Amino acid sequence: MTVNDDSFTNWKNREEIAESMIPIIGKLHRERDVTVLLHSRSLVNKSVVSILKTHRFARQIAGEELSVTETLPFLQALTGLDLGPSQIDIGMLAATYKTDDRGLSVDEFTAEAVAGATGANKIERREGRDVVLYGFGRIGRLVARLLIEKAGSGNGLRLRAIVVRGGGEQDLVKRASLLRRDSIHGQFQGTITVDEATSTIVANGNAIKVIYANDPSEVDYTAYGIKDAILIDNTGKWRDRAGLSKHLRPGIDKVVLTAPGKGDVPNIVHGVNHDTIKPDERVLSCASCTTNAIVPPLKAMDDEYGVLRGHVETVHSFTNDQNLLDNYHKADRRGRSAPLNMVITETGAASAVAKALPDLKAPITGSSIRVPVPDVSIAILSLRLGRETTRDEVLEYLRDVSLHSPLKRQIDFTTAPDAVSMDFVGSRHASIVDAGATKVDGDNAILYLWYDNEFGYSCQVIRVVQHVSGVEYPTFPAPAV
């Protein structure tokens, strides 16, 4: 048998194993609200090839490839346990089992590692929480995709309605079409139908009422059977507490803004300060995409090295706020054609750091350049550290943070030498450390942080909504603190 034959046979064997994993992953998700992860990447609703690629990607962050033959036994062990709602990382189970020298079987080790999600320790499945989207633009449609994807057993978040201004003839059909097809993020994974008679979009069985209104005061959500809902405002029209409080109408319990909040509105970066949200807080912000990209690695670096001062330069994809061709714009330079120019502009991300990281006393400055790409940006974070270090030490530390720390859902890590912006479309992390571009000289460090400013940010928004709604389930094995 030739080497080519061996490689192909090995591939077919791994395909067969991955195929056997799909029904187990699906059943755990539907029946027990258990999300199976591999190094923080969900395997729910993934194809055979996607499962294999996710295992292959482990070499980028863990230093070596992970095989389905290694993770399948842990997945099988989960089926024999009395699991409650949780997220279980079989990649981490496999990795920690390798370093365990107690001679435990896979079943014994798995039962011990996820004990917090079994028996008397398990969380009871909660009733679903209603969610309303106010606005249906770039972020709104991606958040909708994520909510539909995560509907799972029906016991989590339920997208009940979308509020928009009337757009004329065939408005509903056109909005459904924009949800179905996206030039950057591809086809919607599932089926979408439209019922114009009831003004409803049905996506993967989720009936979503489309409500037409010009102002929050026009809507009584209880008239649509919506109660105790979390409303996500992705219009950015209102930024302060007074404006956002207009959404606190009958049927709405909390308001989450997908833009930086002003005044006393808490700016939340999940993974960093989400645990500071008070139970009775009804209005909060998820800050900006760039704030979400820089704050987690900034916190990580401050925790380990101390940060004395810093500057962030964002090279940001253009947005709908800019013009396609030169035209009037209230802001300087943004009136110039977005697809044809690099545009120097301001960013509020640096000043927003203080709201998310109040214990960080270091001054952080920032500026931004909008560039002619439609999605994925990069933040160049230049830091003066509290002690001298080396490039290898910083990279090993950040790799470990991406794998084992409480920030592992926010910070990703890549060693790919030829990675470019389009490679990170669809990333679910707040930012990705580019190891190859990292520079360290004594107490100076420069980090290059990729981020999908649309989808990665939308994932952070969903995490905040899950947290405030009480459906953010614990992850096992528990990350190191």
Side-chain angles (χ1 to χ4, degrees), residues 289-417:
C289 56
T290 301
T291 302
N292 276 264
I294 65 173
V295 165
L298 189 54
K299 180 184 188 309
M301 293 297 287
D302 188 50
D303 286 347
E304 180 66 18
Y305 301 102
V307 173
L308 302 182
R309 62 175 173 266
H311 176 81
V312 60
E313 188 78 34
T314 68
V315 182
H316 199 292
S317 58
F318 64 78
T319 67
N320 276 330
D321 174 61
Q322 296 170 257
N323 294 328
L324 283 174
L325 295 172
D326 289 1
N327 207 346
Y328 173 80
H329 196 290
K330 63 181 180 180
D332 293 339
R333 306 189 205 242
R334 289 201 191 188
R336 302 299 298 277
S337 172
L340 298 177
N341 294 289
M342 292 189 290
V343 179
I344 297 174
T345 186
E346 72 284 343
T347 176
S351 59
V353 168
K355 285 192 172 184
L357 275 179
D359 293 337
L360 180 70
K361 304 306 179 185
I364 306 293
T365 58
S367 53
S368 181
I369 303 171
R370 296 289 180 92
V371 294
V373 295
D375 186 31
V376 180
S377 304
I378 190 165
I380 305 168
L381 189 58
S382 181
L383 303 174
R384 175 77 180 275
L385 304 178
R387 66 176 174 87
E388 292 193 353
T389 182
T390 66
R391 182 175 181 272
D392 287 345
E393 182 190 342
V394 168
L395 289 178
E396 186 56 36
Y397 169 65
L398 291 175
R399 182 201 294 273
D400 186 68
V401 167
S402 74
L403 283 171
H404 304 297
S405 81
L407 291 171
K408 65 182 184 179
R409 286 203 291 170
Q410 282 70 45
I411 301 175
D412 203 0
F413 189 92
T414 182
T415 58

Side-chain angles (χ1 to χ4, degrees), residues 58-193:
R59 77 191 192 283
Q60 290 277 359
I61 49 178
E64 59 182 357
E65 185 170 350
L66 188 63
S67 172
V68 286
T69 60
E70 297 176 79
T71 56
L72 178 62
F74 296 94
L75 184 60
Q76 292 171 327
L78 294 176
T79 63
L81 299 174
D82 180 26
L83 289 168
S86 55
Q87 299 186 107
I88 298 179
D89 195 319
I90 58 174
M92 290 305 302
L93 283 173
T96 52
Y97 182 67
K98 283 182 181 179
T99 62
D100 189 89
D101 58 3
R102 294 175 295 164
L104 299 177
S105 68
V106 167
D107 286 353
E108 291 169 335
F109 180 84
T110 303
E112 179 183 277
V114 303
T118 61
N121 296 322
K122 70 179 182 182
I123 298 171
E124 293 302 318
R125 298 172 74 182
R126 300 184 176 98
E127 184 180 347
R129 187 71 176 268
D130 291 351
V131 178
V132 173
L133 294 179
Y134 199 95
F136 204 47
R138 297 297 302 151
I139 299 302
R141 291 194 295 274
L142 292 178
V143 168
R145 285 188 174 201
L146 286 164
L147 288 168
I148 295 161
E149 171 195 303
K150 294 178 180 296
S153 62
N155 291 282
L157 301 174
R158 302 180 302 195
L159 177 55
R160 296 292 309 280
I162 297 163
V163 184
V164 293
R165 292 194 297 262
E169 189 177 352
Q170 288 203 308
D171 179 273
L172 192 66
V173 173
K174 291 177 179 177
R175 293 186 189 277
S177 181
L178 285 169
L179 178 62
R180 184 182 291 115
R181 302 178 184 88
D182 190 283
S183 299
I184 297 168
H185 301 282
Q187 296 275 350
F188 174 80
Q189 296 301 304
T191 63
I192 293 176
T193 57

Side-chain angles (χ1 to χ4, degrees), residues 446-457:
I446 302 175
L447 307 183
Y448 286 73
L449 308 166
W450 298 101
Y451 58 110
D452 184 330
N453 49 278
E454 293 186 335
F455 197 73
Y457 175 69

